């Protein structure tokens, strides 16, 4: 079902907040993976504020939907979304990166409420997601497993081992996203290690492919509804995004994969986000 | 060491460990057309990208695919080339563990690995990026040589020396923010030979990597304040280990303490303990590192302090070891 105007307004507000938060955390932590945090922010927002059947008051609720941030370096985006969802106080994130903090750059399921799987070493998430989805089916549970991959991450052979098994086991309770921002650390994905024809690869591995604008809530919503309804096998949503989305001087800039922000840059970045959301 | 090269002193004040090795590799590349470079989307972060910029046709970035990385390196080595491969220590030793062991070490291939972000040097990144197991893993692979340079200068020495050292070599460095220790390269670096940084008779401090600087500072302090005569050994090569230097330390000082940025199991401390145990000599001994747990999150300096790997921690440990009892035989030679 199409999103209502109010829903969109609500999601946009969360997305604005997430981007502000990402900028703040990057500033006070000394450095974070801001580029890929900003590109995946809208996917996180729509999942946590519209789709995921979770209960922040009961993070281990056994019938909850599972979520795996396989591109674990996006902890800088994942953590504030969890905070705003109500898992913990946003101010706790002041300790991000610091000594004995529960919040390292890559979120840890033993330390952070709401995190189902510790990630950070790329290429692990989808296999774990396959296991979770198989486990749900075997135990006749109707929760879904959602997994977000980076596009560079899809260089890892393990991603394709997992993909092969997801379609072999006909997992229709697994919804995979790829944050297709076309950049990794050493450059553009197509220059470092070409992924195209990317959608065809997923199709060849037995997935049903939906390509959307990963910053458009209507398109994301439509694709997720489609994936949830699809019964024949796994769906991958290739979300075309811009790394650094929302901060004009970071957008599509490879050097902003990881970085820090001083007070001036933080203000500049926030102003740019405000402008995007018509709050300037 | 390779002939015909005049080595400049690397500008260790302004260059990180990784930048220095990147530069060394560029210099070596001119003399050694058989050298090829490889990385896995970390060419810039590990600085092997410098070699890639200078010799684009001899450099291969395989994308984020570490198992493929070491398989490809094995193939290049089998074709007669000498691959230098660089990625984060955790992904070398754990993600690509079997490729390194079976495809490279088993065949004793000439493949040189420069593993960055070792230990807790990327402490703020969390458990997935901490690497406190690699020395143990790599040490257990037959044919593998394992080196942990104290700083960029020593890393340069290790990279140069490993060209003429047959078989696979694992050189483990940090993230690039480690302070320099050596002023220049002329201190007699040799693979497999400990460097005696300070002579002493009361206790021997054995260290590698970032702990070298800390142990030296502690030793100077202990000399002045506690009147202790402290020997400091930089055992940069964990394997093959310098047994002679360790046995001599046992004989001369009878008290040994090992400091390393690694789990206390399986790394330098264990390698030293093996030598002591086999000698049958009694001595006071302790090893300090990450105490068989997963490291906390935090900036490396805070973690080094927490795990007693900074100068204060070393001082504290030395004072404890000086109090330790051990079985001492009058007739030392009879003890075995
Ligand atoms: C197994 C593994 N290899 C290397 C890294 C280092 N690393 C962190 S992020 C990154 C690039 C990721 O690119 P991509 O998946 O496209 O993420 P995004 O562009 O969304 O940030 C790399 C190589 C890692 N975390 N894990
Ligand atoms: Mg990307």
């Amino acid at each position: 079902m199409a999103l209502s105007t109010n829903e969109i307004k609500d999601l946009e507000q969360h997305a604005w907040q997430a981007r502000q938060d990402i900028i703040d955390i990057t500033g006070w932590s000394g450095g974070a993976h801001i580029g890929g945090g900003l590109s995946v922010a809208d996917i996180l927002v729509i999942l946590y504020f519209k789709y995921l059947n979770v209960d922040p008051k009961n993070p281990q609720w056994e019938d909850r939907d599972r979520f795996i941030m396989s591109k674990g370096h996006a902890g800088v985006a994942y953590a504030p979304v969890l905070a705003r969802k109500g898992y913990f106080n946003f101010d706790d994130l002041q300790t991000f990166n610091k000594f004995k903090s529960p919040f390292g750059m890559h979120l840890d399921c033993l330390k952070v409420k709401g995190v189902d799987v510790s990630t950070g070493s790329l290429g692990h998430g989808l296999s774990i997601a396959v296991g979770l989805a198989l486990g749900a089916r075997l135990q006749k549970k109707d929760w879904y497993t959602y997994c977000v991959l980076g596009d560079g991450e899809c260089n890892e052979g393990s991603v394709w081992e997992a993909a092969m098994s997801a379609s072999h086991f006909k997992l229709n309770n697994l919804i995979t996203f790829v944050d297709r921002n076309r950049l990794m650390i050493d450059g553009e994905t197509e220059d470092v290690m070409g992924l195209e024809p990317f959608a065809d690869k997923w199709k060849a591995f037995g997935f049903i492919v939906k390509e959307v604008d990963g910053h458009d809530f209507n398109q994301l919503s439509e694709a997720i509804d489609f994936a949830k309804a699809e019964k024949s096998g796994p769906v991958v949503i290739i979300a075309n995004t811009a790394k650094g989305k929302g901060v004009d001087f970071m957008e599509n800039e490879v050097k902003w994969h990881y970085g820090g922000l001083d007070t001036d840059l933080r203000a500049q970045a926030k102003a740019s986000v405000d402008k995007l959301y018509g709050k300037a | 060491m390779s002939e015909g090269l005049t080595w400049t002193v690397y500008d260790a004040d302004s260059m990180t460990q990784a930048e220095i090795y990147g530069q060394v590799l560029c210099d070596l590349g001119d003399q050694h057309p058989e050298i090829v470079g490889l990385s896995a989307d970390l060419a810039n972060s590990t600085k092997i990208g410098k070699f890639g910029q200078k010799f684009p046709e001899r450099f291969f970035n395989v994308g984020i695919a570490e198992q493929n990385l070491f398989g490809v390196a094995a193939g290049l080595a089998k074709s007669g080339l000498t691959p230098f491969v660089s990625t984060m220590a955790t992904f070398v030793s754990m993600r690509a563990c079997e490729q390194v062991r079976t495809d490279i070490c088993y065949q004793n291939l000439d493949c040189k690995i420069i593993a960055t972000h070792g230990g807790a040097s990327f402490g703020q990144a969390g458990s997935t990026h901490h690497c406190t197991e690699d020395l143990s893993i790599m040490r257990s692979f037959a044919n593998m040589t394992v080196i942990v340079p104290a700083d960029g200068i020593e890393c340069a020495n290790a990279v140069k020396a490993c060209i003429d050292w047959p078989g696979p070599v694992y050189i483990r460095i940090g993230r690039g923010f480690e302070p320099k220790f050596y002023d220049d390269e002329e201190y007699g670096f040799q693979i497999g030979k400990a460097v005696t940084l300070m002579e002493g008779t009361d206790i021997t401090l054995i260290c590698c990597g970032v702990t070298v600087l800390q142990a030296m500072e502690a030793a100077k302090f202990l000399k002045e304040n506690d009147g202790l005569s402290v020997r400091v050994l930089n055992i940069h090569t964990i394997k093959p280990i310098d047994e002679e230097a360790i046995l001599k330390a046992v004989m001369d000082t009878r008290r040994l303490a090992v400091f390393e940025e690694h789990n206390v199991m399986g790394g330098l401390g264990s390698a030293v303990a093996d030598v002591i145990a086999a000698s049958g000599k009694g001595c006071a001994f302790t090893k300090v590192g990450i105490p068989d747990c997963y490291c906390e999150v935090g900036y490396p300096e805070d973690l080094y302090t927490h795990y007693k790997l900074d100068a204060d921690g070393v001082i504290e440990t030395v004072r404890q070891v000086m109090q330790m009892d051990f079985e001492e035989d009058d007739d030392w030679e009879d003890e075995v």
Side-chain angles (χ1 to χ4, degrees):
Chain A
M1 224 178 34
L3 294 170
S4 70
T5 321
N6 271 345
E7 274 180 313
I8 293 197
K9 259 179 86 177
D10 182 51
L11 292 172
E12 295 281 327
Q13 176 64 23
H14 281 298
W16 169 81
Q17 184 70 64
R19 290 193 160 85
Q20 298 284 326
D21 292 347
I22 290 168
I23 292 163
D24 276 333
I25 299 169
T26 302
W28 66 54
S29 67
H33 294 86
I34 186 163
L38 290 167
S39 65
V40 81
D42 299 307
I43 295 170
L44 279 167
V45 161
I46 198 168
L47 285 176
Y48 274 90
F49 295 103
K50 161 104 182 131
Y51 284 99
L52 286 185
N53 188 23
V54 292
D55 177 7
K57 297 284 160 285
N58 185 9
Q60 295 300 321
W61 172 43
E62 62 179 42
D63 290 330
R64 71 190 183 281
D65 285 338
R66 305 306 200 268
F67 174 77
I68 302 178
M69 176 57 91
S70 191
K71 45 167 271 187
H73 55 283
V76 68
Y78 187 16
V81 168
L82 288 174
R84 300 294 179 191
K85 180 75 184 174
Y87 284 95
F88 45 85
N89 288 329
F90 178 70
D91 280 345
D92 296 354
L93 292 170
Q94 293 275 0
T95 66
F96 202 84
N97 277 1
K98 305 212 174 91
F99 181 53
K100 280 202 175 175
S101 171
F103 305 101
M105 246 171 241
H106 306 84
L107 300 190
D108 183 330
C109 68
L110 299 182
K111 297 178 179 168
V112 181
K113 282 201 185 114
V115 176
D116 286 317
V117 172
S118 304
T119 51
S121 178
L122 296 166
H124 289 226
L126 193 56
S127 294
I128 301 172
V130 166
L132 280 164
L134 278 171
R137 185 165 75 189
L138 185 63
Q139 298 168 85
K140 302 201 167 35
K141 299 281 192 181
D142 58 6
W143 43 266
Y144 284 86
T145 300
Y146 295 85
C147 179
V148 178
L149 301 165
D151 50 0
E153 180 180 10
C154 294
N155 291 168
E156 290 284 3
S158 56
V159 170
W160 301 99
E161 295 171 24
M164 210 178 323
S165 55
S167 62
H168 180 83
F169 295 128
K170 298 192 173 48
L171 294 177
N172 55 19
N173 55 352
L174 166 68
I175 300 172
T176 306
F177 293 80
V178 182
D179 180 1
R180 183 77 172 110
N181 58 27
R182 307 193 82 88
L183 289 175
M184 42 211 285
I185 294 183
D186 283 340
E188 297 186 19
T189 56
E190 299 318 290
D191 291 339
V192 177
M193 185 53 59
L195 290 168
E196 295 294 345
F198 195 48
D200 288 347
K201 283 196 172 73
W202 285 100
K203 282 179 200 152
F205 275 76
F207 273 67
I208 297 152
V209 181
K210 277 281 183 190
E211 268 200 80
V212 301
D213 174 341
H215 303 303
D216 180 323
F217 287 124
N218 270 321
Q219 289 191 31
L220 281 168
S221 160
E222 200 191 310
I224 298 168
D225 288 339
F226 169 87
K228 289 181 76 170
E230 178 58 50
K231 289 292 162 249
S232 65
V235 173
V236 62
I237 299 170
I238 299 178
N240 291 308
T241 59
K243 211 156 170 169
K245 174 72 180 180
V247 178
D248 48 13
F249 61 89
M250 291 185 192
E251 273 186 28
N252 299 310
E253 285 288 340
V254 69
K255 71 167 190 227
W256 279 105
H257 173 77
Y258 176 91
L261 292 172
D262 61 19
T263 324
D264 282 354
L265 276 180
R266 241 161 101 181
Q268 232 183 18
K270 284 187 159 188
S272 175
V273 168
D274 284 346
K275 207 165 132 203
L276 176 69
Y277 291 93
K279 290 184 189 263
Chain B
M1 213 159 273
S2 307
E3 294 300 315
L5 289 170
T6 43
W7 296 105
T8 47
V9 173
Y10 292 97
D11 183 3
D13 288 319
S14 64
M15 286 166 88
T16 68
Q17 229 179 355
E19 281 169 337
I20 292 178
Y21 97 68
Q23 189 55 50
V24 172
L25 214 49
C26 281
D27 296 346
L28 284 169
D30 286 324
Q31 303 288 317
H32 293 271
E34 75 280 12
I35 293 181
V36 290
L38 293 93
S39 190
D41 195 34
L42 290 171
N44 294 326
S45 320
T46 65
K47 305 294 181 256
I48 201 167
K50 280 187 180 227
F51 178 90
Q53 275 160 10
K54 184 164 173 187
F55 305 103
E57 75 291 352
R58 284 156 62 186
F59 183 73
F60 306 97
N61 191 335
V62 301
I64 311 170
E66 295 77 12
Q67 293 171 282
N68 188 39
L69 176 71
F70 286 97
V72 170
L76 284 162
K78 281 173 85 75
S79 83
L81 296 162
T82 305
F84 275 75
V85 192
S86 199
T87 185
M88 292 187 191
T90 181
F91 308 131
V92 178
S93 59
M94 291 180 273
R95 184 55 152 273
C97 183
E98 194 185 345
Q99 275 78 6
V100 173
R101 175 205 176 258
T102 303
D103 303 342
I104 293 170
C105 291
Y106 174 62
Q107 303 174 76
N108 202 15
L109 295 178
D110 240 334
C111 177
K112 318 299 180 190
I113 301 166
I114 299 162
T116 64
H117 301 69
S121 64
F122 200 10
Q124 63 274 38
S127 298
T128 52
H129 286 62
H130 296 159
C131 189
T132 55
E133 301 89 352
D134 57 332
L135 303 179
S136 174
I137 295 167
M138 290 297 150
R139 193 165 80 89
S140 70
F141 294 166
N143 295 331
M144 183 63 110
T145 293
V146 180
I147 304 175
V148 184
D151 69 356
I153 295 285
E154 188 154 85
C155 184
N157 276 332
V159 169
K160 284 182 260 167
C162 78
I163 291 268
D164 297 324
W165 184 266
V169 178
Y170 180 81
I171 299 175
R172 186 241 229 184
I173 62 176
R175 185 167 175 244
F177 295 95
E178 300 72 24
K180 72 164 195 161
F181 178 74
Y182 288 107
D183 289 326
D184 62 57
E185 293 160 81
E186 311 303 325
Y187 59 88
F189 177 90
Q190 257 184 294
I191 293 177
K193 285 272 168 275
V195 182
T196 305
L197 296 170
M198 196 188 257
E199 271 300 355
T201 51
D202 293 330
I203 185 168
T204 301
L205 311 186
I206 293 178
C207 40
C208 66
V210 290
T211 62
V212 171
L213 174 68
Q214 304 303 324
M216 269 304 275
E217 282 183 7
K220 286 179 201 153
F221 179 91
L222 287 161
K223 189 174 177 180
E224 278 181 24
N225 290 270
D226 297 32
L228 285 177
S229 168
V230 182
R231 181 176 301 182
V232 182
L233 296 181
N234 169 12
I235 300 202
H236 49 67
T237 307
I238 315 273
K239 182 184 172 187
I241 197 142
D242 189 342
E243 297 190 10
E244 211 183 302
I246 296 166
L247 290 176
K248 194 165 176 309
V250 173
M251 297 289 234
D252 295 348
T253 70
R254 292 205 167 198
R255 293 178 193 273
L256 282 82
V258 184
F259 302 90
E260 62 184 322
E261 192 184 354
H262 190 270
N263 191 332
V264 289
M265 292 193 178
L268 176 62
S270 295
V272 172
D274 285 354
V275 175
I276 298 173
S279 77
K281 307 289 183 200
C283 68
F285 176 74
T286 195
K287 38 187 190 173
V288 180
I290 313 299
D292 195 28
C293 61
Y294 291 94
C295 184
E296 293 283 355
V297 162
Y299 282 99
E301 311 74 61
D302 294 328
L303 297 172
Y304 299 149
T305 302
H306 179 67
Y307 293 110
K308 301 195 188 304
L309 293 171
D310 64 352
D312 286 344
V314 174
I315 291 166
E316 191 184 317
T317 299
V318 167
R319 288 177 177 157
Q320 283 163 5
V321 175
M322 290 312 296
Q323 301 303 316
M324 275 166 69
D325 284 332
F326 60 94
E327 286 283 330
E328 199 165 1
D329 201 332
D330 292 339
D331 189 357
W332 182 259
E333 292 309 319
D334 277 358
E335 272 183 35
V336 181

